[in-house]
Amino acid sequence: MSNRQSLLTNVYACAFAAYACFSMSDVFTKAITGQLSVFEIGFFENFFAAAVLLTTRHDNERWIEFWRMERPWPIHLRALCGVLSSLCAIYAFTTVPLVDAYALIFLAPFFVTIMSVVILKEYVGAWRWFAVVLGFIGVLLAVKPGFRQFQLGHFTAAIAGLSTGTSIIIMRRLGSSVKKTSILGMLFLYLVGVNAIGMFVWGFTPPSSRDLLFMALSGLFIGLGQLCFVTAARIGNANQIAPVAYSQLALAMLFGIVVFNEYPDFLAILGVTIIATAGLLTVVRERIRRIKSENPPGIC
């Protein structure tokens, strides 16, 4: 397998696996029926996710040394973005339909494209800008702001999208120079710590065995998703990873219908289709450009 094929396979495969795991985690989060605070849900989910990560082995790295970092501030900032994204997403998933929450969270590629130009100084062509604008139109169709009541869960979903986009940019800026154990270890230290404090202040409600199981399963998929996400971010471009997230939209619609009886209307289906199409077109366009750049005319 050539280096080009290896890169494409690794980046997209890892990104797809990460977002699929995150989708499964979100389904279990939404299925929680008890009157639990977002902090309590976040604490248990991330506790189980951290337990999953601690069982993984990293070449030439040890979890006990995760706090040893050459570039600590970006890692701390990425962890804070992860906390904000997690709390906002949990609230959104437990208060508004899955499709609505996902549509707003998928403003992340819009934020990534802007920040990749401003912060990373990456070149973004007309095709990618067209895809971003098309995706944004899809979000408007799916959520329909101004035509129905905009709840707090919609707002927190948009904040989760901004936080996720910022996290992608930070990961790209860090590149492969930072240990996985440092990135993930600090992230889950923040997630467990902040949620523990919030749970203590907000109050603890004993979860039922059913809810505890769902939080454990959600945590399992979070842990697996984070491993895949970090791997994808270290070997790929920020704008390669972001469009792959659109694969979650199909799952959101499917799970919303099958599990939660949330039937989207025509405009929502149209909006989700436009969002997914914009993302997939970007992926295809990036692959074509890369093949052409590495195989100029006259070279087989």
Side-chain angles (χ1 to χ4, degrees), residues 3-300:
N3 290 334
R4 170 178 58 79
Q5 291 173 325
S6 177
L7 174 64
L8 287 171
T9 301
N10 287 334
V11 172
Y12 294 126
C14 289
F16 272 116
Y19 288 117
C21 288
F22 292 148
S23 293
M24 291 301 300
S25 172
D26 298 335
V27 168
F28 284 114
T29 297
K30 188 171 182 61
I32 295 172
T33 57
Q35 299 299 315
L36 308 179
S37 69
V38 294
F39 297 107
E40 188 170 346
I41 295 173
F43 173 80
F44 280 106
E45 289 185 348
N46 289 292
F47 175 82
F48 287 113
V52 171
L53 292 175
L54 287 175
T55 64
T56 62
R57 181 180 181 276
H58 299 265
D59 295 337
N60 303 318
E61 296 181 22
R62 295 191 302 172
W63 282 109
I64 197 172
E65 296 178 347
F66 81 91
W67 57 273
R68 297 181 184 273
M69 298 171 285
E70 295 181 1
R71 303 173 64 185
W73 293 114
I75 295 178
H76 284 288
L77 180 58
R78 194 260 177 175
L80 289 172
C81 288
V83 171
L84 181 60
S85 178
S86 175
L87 291 174
C88 288
I90 289 173
Y91 186 84
F93 290 133
T94 55
T95 56
V96 300
L98 273 179
V99 171
D100 286 16
Y102 271 115
L104 288 164
I105 290 174
F106 282 101
L107 287 172
F110 175 78
F111 296 127
V112 167
T113 301
I114 294 176
M115 288 187 286
S116 65
V117 173
V118 176
I119 299 175
L120 300 183
K121 308 300 180 183
E122 293 180 352
Y123 171 74
V124 176
W127 179 268
R128 191 177 295 161
W129 281 117
F130 170 75
V132 168
V133 172
L134 189 63
F136 187 73
I137 292 173
V139 171
L140 294 179
L141 288 173
V143 180
K144 298 178 284 294
F147 294 91
R148 61 175 176 171
Q149 185 177 3
F150 203 69
Q151 302 177 28
L152 180 59
H154 292 98
F155 177 75
T156 60
I159 296 298
L162 175 60
S163 301
T164 300
T166 304
S167 179
I168 293 174
I169 292 297
I170 294 172
M171 288 299 302
R172 179 56 185 164
R173 194 67 177 267
L174 286 170
S176 59
S177 61
V178 181
K179 298 180 297 183
K180 280 185 180 180
T181 48
S182 294
I183 296 172
L184 294 175
M186 192 57 64
L187 170 63
F188 281 96
L189 180 64
Y190 271 80
L191 285 168
V192 173
V194 171
N195 281 298
I197 295 173
M199 183 173 60
F200 176 79
V201 174
W202 194 266
F204 175 77
T205 301
S208 65
S209 57
R210 177 181 180 274
D211 286 344
L212 188 60
L213 174 62
F214 284 173
M215 288 188 287
L217 291 172
S218 179
L220 169 65
F221 283 109
I222 289 174
L224 294 175
Q226 283 293 339
L227 283 175
C228 294
F229 182 80
V230 170
T231 301
R234 292 182 69 180
I235 63 178
N237 183 280
N239 290 299
Q240 287 177 294
I241 298 171
V244 181
Y246 291 115
S247 62
Q248 289 182 282
L249 289 169
L251 290 174
M253 190 172 294
L254 176 63
F255 286 129
I257 294 173
V258 176
V259 182
F260 304 109
N261 293 318
E262 297 175 350
Y263 292 89
D265 58 22
F266 173 75
L267 285 180
I269 295 174
L270 178 62
V272 167
T273 302
I274 292 174
I275 295 170
T277 300
L280 292 176
L281 285 176
T282 302
V283 172
V284 173
R285 177 64 174 175
E286 286 298 313
R287 180 163 188 165
I288 293 174
R289 288 186 59 192
R290 192 175 296 275
I291 292 174
K292 286 183 176 180
S293 66
E294 296 190 9
N295 295 279
I299 297 180
C300 297

